[in-house]
Amino acid sequence: ELQLVESGGGLVKPGGSLRLSCAAAGFNFNNSDMNWVRQAPGKGLEWVSSISSRSSYIHYADSLKGRFTISRDNAENSLYLQMNSLGAEDTAVYYCARANYGSGTYYGMDIWGQGTTVTVSS
Amino acid sequence: AIQMTQSPSSLSASVGDRVTITCRASQGIRKDLAWYQQKPGKAPELLIYLASRLQSGVPFRFSGSGSGTDFTLTIGSLQPEDVATYYCLQDYDYPWTFGQGTTVEVK
């Protein structure tokens, strides 16, 4: 079964840090570009970050201002998001998603996790 | 960053109606656009990629069209299970950007 399972969410104080994890199973993680997408309560989807299969290419949303770092461990089939200097605006459900990619073209984010909730509050 | 403007923000239609949602990009994005469906409390699911290609397993009543700056998602015959919020996403250039979403309700 194609599966992504996020973990690491929780309650954190403003200015704090959190590391999210995403465990992949059932597909070739090593050859997959991966993404983080978030959704604030009652709001729309926001793309957060992307990392290529060999970590050669990494991109972030402009709104993050250098506070987040995406990484992966292909040996462990895992994706990570290190989040620092968290503020109330980072409160959201965070999803990891695979971007189906081939021959220089993306074919959509076709596998999604169930999400992990991050709440930033004092 | 490329801005994606989606309309309408919400709509209500009857079962069997044809429903159309539009998405406009602030600059040309070829056909690098995907549509996602998100049901309440669930993760998004891919419906359409490359503007018009139906994701495996998605019902044929869903279709997409467009290129450049103007795109459309059509539900050919609305079903009760289609109640959801629909989002477009441009994956032409980073940062990727979503539309604001369209909430579809059944009358």
Side-chain angles (χ1 to χ4, degrees):
Chain A
E1 180 187 3
L2 307 177
Q3 194 172 22
L4 291 169
V5 179
E6 303 94 336
S7 60
L11 176 64
V12 61
K13 288 182 168 54
S17 298
L18 211 55
R19 188 194 197 206
L20 305 183
S21 300
C22 172
F27 65 95
N28 192 341
F29 180 80
N30 290 4
N31 285 343
S32 297
D33 289 11
M34 298 298 297
N35 292 265
W36 288 99
V37 174
R38 69 182 180 182
Q39 185 170 37
K43 302 297 184 181
L45 299 173
E46 179 185 18
W47 174 82
V48 170
S49 182
S50 173
I51 185 168
S52 62
S53 59
R54 299 287 185 265
S55 304
S56 301
Y57 302 100
I58 288 174
H59 303 276
Y60 297 100
D62 295 342
S63 61
L64 300 181
K65 301 174 185 175
R67 298 180 296 117
F68 290 12
T69 302
I70 191 172
S71 63
R72 63 190 296 161
D73 184 339
N74 286 348
E76 296 292 329
N77 284 349
S78 292
L79 175 73
Y80 305 101
L81 186 67
Q82 176 67 42
M83 305 186 295
N84 298 329
S85 302
L86 286 164
E89 70 277 11
D90 299 312
T91 293
V93 175
Y94 286 75
Y95 297 99
C96 62
R98 180 184 82 163
N100 194 0
Y101 178 81
S103 303
T105 301
Y106 282 106
Y107 302 102
M109 290 187 280
D110 62 344
I111 306 171
W112 292 70
Q114 83 289 349
T116 188
T117 300
V118 172
T119 303
V120 183
S121 175
S122 55
Chain B
I2 299 172
Q3 294 183 21
M4 305 302 294
T5 303
Q6 200 173 324
S7 61
S9 57
S10 66
L11 67 89
S12 181
S14 299
V15 171
D17 282 355
R18 182 181 181 89
V19 169
T20 300
I21 299 168
T22 64
C23 194
R24 174 165 288 177
S26 60
Q27 66 181 73
I29 58 170
R30 302 183 308 192
K31 288 191 170 189
D32 295 333
L33 182 113
W35 290 96
Y36 296 86
Q37 176 192 64
Q38 186 179 34
K39 296 183 178 181
K42 300 292 188 181
E45 292 186 1
L46 176 65
L47 295 176
I48 302 280
Y49 61 93
L50 288 174
S52 60
R53 299 192 188 181
L54 195 66
Q55 173 68 0
S56 176
V58 173
F60 292 113
R61 63 180 179 273
F62 291 95
S63 63
S65 64
S67 67
T69 60
D70 294 308
F71 301 87
T72 299
L73 172 70
T74 300
I75 307 174
S77 176
L78 186 67
Q79 299 302 304
E81 60 266 32
D82 300 335
V83 169
T85 301
Y86 295 83
Y87 296 91
C88 62
L89 168 78
Q90 68 81 15
D91 52 23
Y92 171 77
D93 192 20
Y94 290 102
W96 289 359
T97 42
F98 284 95
Q100 306 95 312
T102 296
T103 300
V104 174
E105 299 178 342
V106 173
K107 287 181 182 175

